[in-house]
Each structure stands twice: as C-alpha cells, then as structure tokens.
Amino acid sequence: MDAAILDVSVATPKYYVKHEELAKARGIDPDKYRYGLGCWEMAVCSPGEDAVTLAAQAAFDLLQRHPNVADQIGLCVVGTESGVDQAKPIAIYLHQLLNLPKSCRAFEVKHACYGGTAGLQMARAWTQQHPKRYALVITTDIARYERYSPGESTQGAGAVAMLIGSAAAEQTLLTLSKESGVHANEVYDFWRPTYQSTAQVKGKFSISCYLDGLVEAFEDYKARENDHTEPDYFLFHVPFPRMARKAFRRLSDHKGLNYSDEMIENVFENKVEPGLWINRRIGNIYTGSLYLMLAGLCEREGEKLRDKRIALFSYGSGSCSEYFTGTFGHNLPKPHLHNILNWRKEVDVATYEQLHDEALAMERNQSLRIELEDLQHPFTFLGIRDHERIYKRNDLAIQSTSAKDNDSISPTIRAC
Ligand code: COA
C-alpha cells in the first residue's frame, strides 16, 4: 500500500468577473486576455470570504464525503501565500472550524506557489509512516495585484483540499512517484513584503525563472527516476493558462521531441487542455493552481484516467521547482466540478473594483462590510476585533448543505 491522494475537492468564492468585461474597462483588446493569457473568468471574494473560509469550505466538503476518516486525521497542513497572521497558521483556524481531533499536527507551509506541493510531499511521508491515519493538505490563496497593473488580469481565488492516506489502488485517486526532481534557486521574481497586501512581480522575469526551473527539475527527476515513458497527461502550475502552453513547449523542445506548431497544438489539446479549462474559469489560486488543474482533469476525463500516468510540475517564485509523476488509481467517481461554477454570481467591473479596494482597506483599518447573504454560508469571516480574526461556523447552513443534494446548493463541490 502506498501513500496516495485519495480524494480532492475545490472551493471558490461566490463572485467572478469576466475577462472580456475587464478588458473593455481597461481599454485592452479582449483577445489579449482570452488568447494571449488564456484567461476567461476571474474569481472575486465577497467581504465575508478569505483564505480561511475558502480552505474550510474545501476541506469540509472533503470530510463530509469521508466521515469515517475524520477522527483519524493526524496532520493538517495548509500551503498558502495569503497567510492571515504572521504567527498563527490558517491550519489552526481550520482545526477548530472542522472539529479535527486534538491529536493532530496543524501548521502552515510557505514558499510562494510551491507551498501546497511541499505540504503534499510531507503528508505522503507522514502517512507512509502512519498507515492507519490520514492527512489533510489544503492549498488556499487569494491572488491580488494592484488594479491596472499587468498582473491584474491574472488574479483569482480558491482552495483545493486533498485527503492523503495509505490505500490499495482500488481506493486511490492518484499515487505519486517515489522520486521527484527538485531545483531551488534564490531569485526576486515574485514576492510580497510583510508590509504589503498585494504582490510585487517582475512578470517577464518570473516566466523565464519558471521555465528554467522546469527544465532543471525535469533533469533532476530524470537522473533519479528510471521511468522515461511519455506521460498520458501533464499538469502544470498555472499562474495564467497560457503559461501551461509555454511550459509544455519548453519541456517538449528540451526532450528533443521536435513537434511542429501544428503537432504541438494537437498533443497539447489531448494531454494538457483536459485539466486546464477550470483554471481559465477561476484564475490564479497560487498554491492550488496545479491541484485545481488535477480536479479539472478528473472532471473532464473521469473513468478514462484509470491507470493513466501524469506528470506534474510545481513552481514557487523565489524559487523552488518540483517535477514528479503519478499514476491514477480506480477511485474516480462521477465528478461535479461544474456546479461550483454554476453556484457563482457574475459581478461587473465596478463591483469587482469596490470589493478589491475594500479587501485591501480592511487589512489596513480592520473594518469590514459583511453581506447578509454571507452569513448564510457554512463559514464566514466576520472581521477583526482587538486584533483577533473572527470566524463563524454556521451549523444551520452546514446541516442544510448536508441534507440537500450536493449538486444543487453546496459552494464546495466534489471534484473527483
Ligand atoms: N491578441 C492576442 N494575444 C495578444 C494580444 C492580442 N491583442 N496582445 C498581446 N497578446 C499576447 C502577447 O503576444 C503575449 O504572448 P506571448 O507571451 O506568447 O508573447 C501575451 O499576450 C501577454 O502579453 P504581454 O504584452 O507580455 O502582457 P503583459 O505585459 O501584460 O504581461 C504577464 C503578462 C503574464 C507578465 C503579466 O500578466 C504578469 O505580470 N502576471 C503576473 C506574474 C505571473 O503570472 N508570472 C508567471 C510565472 S509564476
């Protein structure tokens, strides 16, 4: 029995804005966003949503589907670069909101967008040592850039929760390769100083750091792992969807595959696009974007994934890169990811701008405008009092979510 990903779920905020509308408002050709960056819709948080509530929603949904394991969770790791406190980790808020067992390690991992992969690898090693217990790995982020900056169109928000445990292939979603290729390299390509609520980024430089990290990590993987067959699918870290296309081209060229432009379009369509469609509709969720793509792939391909092999590439600015592979198991139940998209409401650009500015102001002056509807959600951020963040778990909302069909109401959706 191997330690594996047993299941995955996704949560995204209740609002989104269309890139077409954002382009019009910024006087930019919509084709630049749609084709140049590959972005279609961008998730936007309401005032009562933050990295904690998104994480709680994703993990809650996951645990609801696995009630038998809830009291055997011994590790709760959160990968994020949207930490809400310099010392107190998001994991401990989750521990309380989700009623996790007292005998449970709860902590946060940070390395830009790489934090989720660091948490996942740690959780695998831990469950290998504790085969009767389970780990929760949650990635949660709100990608926020300054309005009108080049990064603005690559924002997004969401959380992905993964259940890790030791199981036979019939019960697993994805078993990961024993070896990974890793590459660490100190650079200033993307960062967020402790005194800022939005990120600093050298956009073009970050793209070249990502691509260099991919090649180096792949070389390291090749030297460690004996399996050199071409994977059936590829999942990449997705700061914006066109980045996956750049990464696939670079990797294919590096391997000497000599794809013509036409050939690469076909291979990309079959091996990368099946997961990427969901990133186009949610935007960048930093630590979770690679795993969001995994959820997207499960949704699109379903049972076709049985025993198929995938390659995964994780990149965190700053920087740390990891290339690894995985084999799908047989636990590939009917996906419902589309519901998460149907649950959302579209907002216009003026509303997005107001929500964006309010969120930044809240970090400074700690005053929050709560939308009444937010109080009906399972988890709500109520604001800050005496420097303490206050969260509400709405058991009535939880009961009604549990009682009804997941397909029709829940903001968190079973992805696979
Ligand atoms: N129609 C179609 N495509 C168009 C277009 C149009 N009208 N106008 C521009 N494009 C294309 C460009 O050719 C370019 O494609 P290419 O990268 O294949 O050459 C792409 O759209 C982006 O245009 P560019 O001028 O480079 O955009 P930008 O200056 O706004 O910056 C980023 C783009 C990604 C650098 C910027 O959004 C950013 O800083 N993002 C955050 C950082 C990030 O995500 N880093 C990734 C690594 S972690």
Side-chain angles (χ1 to χ4, degrees):
M1 294 216 298
D2 274 324
I5 300 176
L6 303 181
D7 202 354
V8 61
S9 72
V10 172
T12 191
K14 76 173 184 188
Y15 296 134
Y16 72 96
V17 66
K18 283 193 174 146
H19 276 87
E20 202 179 336
E21 299 304 316
L22 185 64
K24 276 189 218 152
R26 297 291 177 262
I28 286 173
D29 180 355
D31 281 356
K32 173 176 172 180
Y33 290 166
R34 190 164 185 92
Y35 303 109
L37 297 175
C39 306
W40 301 349
E41 291 162 6
M42 184 170 97
V44 176
C45 285
S46 73
E49 293 172 319
D50 72 356
V52 175
T53 65
L54 291 171
Q57 284 181 357
F60 172 75
D61 184 59
L62 194 64
L63 292 178
Q64 228 189 357
R65 299 202 301 264
H66 299 273
N68 301 342
V69 312
D71 60 353
Q72 292 157 62
I73 303 278
L75 184 67
C76 173
V77 192
V78 172
T80 187
E81 52 189 287
S82 313
V84 295
D85 191 282
Q86 306 277 23
K88 190 168 176 174
I90 289 176
I92 201 66
Y93 292 102
L94 300 188
H95 184 270
Q96 188 262 333
L97 289 169
L98 301 170
N99 296 326
L100 295 180
K102 290 288 177 199
S103 172
C104 179
R105 288 184 180 144
F107 55 92
E108 194 169 297
V109 176
K110 180 177 75 182
H111 189 148
C113 302
Y114 175 70
T117 302
L120 172 62
Q121 296 294 14
M122 200 184 299
R124 278 178 72 203
W126 183 85
T127 43
Q128 200 77 55
Q129 279 177 346
H130 303 90
K132 296 211 168 104
R133 301 180 78 189
Y134 297 86
L136 266 182
V137 177
I138 303 123
T139 64
T140 182
D141 271 305
I142 302 169
R144 264 194 201 111
Y145 294 96
E146 289 295 331
R147 289 207 275 122
Y148 290 88
S149 72
E152 182 184 28
S153 53
T154 66
Q155 297 177 113
V160 180
M162 290 175 276
L163 182 67
I164 316 298
S166 294
E170 302 78 61
Q171 293 154 329
T172 61
L173 174 64
L174 184 67
T175 303
L176 301 176
S177 50
K178 296 239 173 338
E179 290 289 348
S180 282
V182 183
H183 181 72
N185 183 33
E186 198 273 330
V187 279
Y188 262 111
D189 59 334
F190 167 104
W191 67 106
R192 183 163 70 84
T194 47
Y195 47 82
Q196 278 189 203
S197 306
T198 52
Q200 293 287 333
V201 62
K202 296 175 193 162
K204 304 268 182 333
F205 180 54
S206 72
I207 293 173
S208 73
C209 293
Y210 174 121
L211 295 174
D212 291 348
L214 169 60
V215 168
E216 297 292 346
F218 174 71
E219 279 301 313
D220 192 45
Y221 173 81
K222 236 172 61 181
R224 290 173 193 286
E225 185 74 63
N226 238 347
D227 180 8
H228 301 308
T229 51
E230 262 305 273
D232 300 298
Y233 297 95
F234 289 80
L235 305 177
F236 295 100
H237 168 52
V238 189
F240 56 95
R242 186 77 183 166
M243 190 68 227
R245 175 71 171 66
K246 289 178 192 288
F248 188 60
R249 168 103 252 179
R250 170 64 83 89
L251 192 60
S252 305
D253 289 352
H254 178 74
K255 290 179 186 166
L257 290 172
N258 292 325
Y259 289 137
S260 65
D261 284 350
E262 198 191 331
M263 272 163 78
I264 201 154
E265 286 310 329
N266 285 337
V267 186
F268 185 86
E269 202 54 38
N270 292 326
K271 294 197 170 203
V272 187
E273 190 61 36
L276 197 56
W277 66 276
I278 186 72
N279 302 73
R280 298 188 190 286
R281 300 200 54 190
I282 289 181
N284 192 2
I285 61 167
Y286 290 159
T287 48
S289 76
L290 171 66
Y291 303 101
L292 182 63
M293 204 179 162
L294 170 65
L297 180 65
C298 294
E299 170 91 0
R300 183 68 47 100
E301 300 293 81
E303 284 291 324
K304 265 171 74 182
L305 294 175
R306 244 173 202 242
D307 301 319
K308 291 280 192 295
R309 286 193 62 249
I310 58 164
L312 302 95
F313 175 65
S314 180
Y315 176 75
S317 290
S319 65
C320 193
S321 305
E322 183 159 338
Y323 180 97
F324 49 115
T325 58
T327 307
F328 280 103
H330 299 180
N331 182 29
L332 300 157
K334 193 173 178 297
H336 298 285
L337 197 53
H338 275 104
N339 297 335
I340 197 172
L341 303 172
N342 297 339
W343 173 80
R344 307 182 303 174
K345 286 187 195 136
E346 184 186 347
V347 290
D348 58 21
V349 174
T351 307
Y352 143 67
E353 289 178 340
Q354 186 194 346
L355 291 164
H356 181 277
D357 293 354
E358 276 180 6
L360 297 186
M362 201 285 299
E363 298 295 333
R364 285 192 295 273
N365 63 25
Q366 307 193 351
S367 79
L368 183 67
R369 171 184 66 87
I370 290 285
E371 295 179 354
L372 277 180
E373 206 189 299
D374 276 349
L375 296 172
Q376 287 152 25
H377 292 175
F379 304 99
T380 312
F381 171 46
L382 293 178
I384 299 174
R385 194 176 54 215
D386 299 332
H387 302 287
E388 294 179 10
R389 292 178 86 89
I390 303 164
Y391 292 93
K392 179 168 177 281
R393 176 182 156 122
N394 183 347
D395 281 314
L396 276 178
I398 284 173
Q399 272 165 26
S400 70
T401 306
S402 314
K404 293 184 189 176
D405 180 4
N406 240 0
D407 290 9
S408 59
I409 147 156
S410 174
T412 58
I413 298 300
R414 177 174 205 170
C416 306

